[in-house]
Amino acid sequence: MISSMSAFADYFEGIRKRTLKYIRRIPPDQMGFSPHPGKFTLGDLIRHLAATEEMFVRAVTEGVWLYAGHETDKGETLDAAVDSLERKHEAAMARLRETGDEVLTTKRPSLKGYPVQAWHLLMAMCEHETHHRAQISQYLVALELEPPQVFDLRIEQVSRQ
């Protein structure tokens, strides 16, 4: 279980760092790419990650769910979207670090309304980020680009013995 907001923020910094490796592989002219009509574009995914990080952190710290949206006015270009993502991430992590550790076991409403301990929401935020990182990876493959390795190694480089 998570026992410290600061320790969780440090952990999530690593998750975001790995996600940014994938985002930085996106060609700037492919922000509008989506594998199917009506699905998130690459730009939507970046903006969605920024909005949902704020959403999860607010749910943990205040017990309120609000989604700011992922419209293009929240970062139309790759540079603008990444800048917004990084600024919102910094603010979200500062907010978590300023929140007392006792909040971790405080009951908060889940998205479906039933109560859960706040640390469950933080774990859901990790799972959500990983889900969309994998989506970005698959979009890169669809664009015939090589996605980065999540831990900088290919499985073939790991010893079998």
Side-chain angles (χ1 to χ4, degrees), residues 8-21:
F8 173 80
D10 291 345
Y11 174 74
F12 196 75
E13 293 281 6
I15 291 174
R16 178 53 56 82
K17 181 179 174 184
R18 289 185 289 279
T19 299
L20 282 167
K21 286 192 320 188

Side-chain angles (χ1 to χ4, degrees), residues 28-44:
D29 65 341
Q30 294 297 325
M31 285 288 281
F33 174 78
S34 171
H36 300 286
K39 299 295 182 188
F40 276 154
T41 66
L42 283 164
D44 290 338

Side-chain angles (χ1 to χ4, degrees), residues 87-147:
R87 281 184 291 105
K88 289 178 179 187
H89 174 68
E90 187 176 312
M93 294 302 100
R95 190 167 183 188
L96 285 180
R97 286 186 172 98
E98 294 165 0
T99 301
D101 295 341
E102 69 281 355
V103 169
L104 290 167
T105 55
T106 301
K107 296 281 187 174
R108 299 292 194 216
S110 68
L111 274 171
K112 292 189 174 187
Y114 58 84
V116 297
Q117 290 184 339
W119 70 267
H120 286 270
L121 301 180
L122 293 173
M123 296 311 297
M125 184 169 85
C126 296
E127 190 170 344
H128 179 265
E129 177 103 1
T130 303
H131 163 76
H132 287 302
R133 180 193 315 144
Q135 208 174 356
I136 291 168
S137 179
Q138 288 304 299
Y139 282 30
L140 291 171
V141 169
L143 289 168
E144 299 182 0
L145 299 169
E146 183 70 27

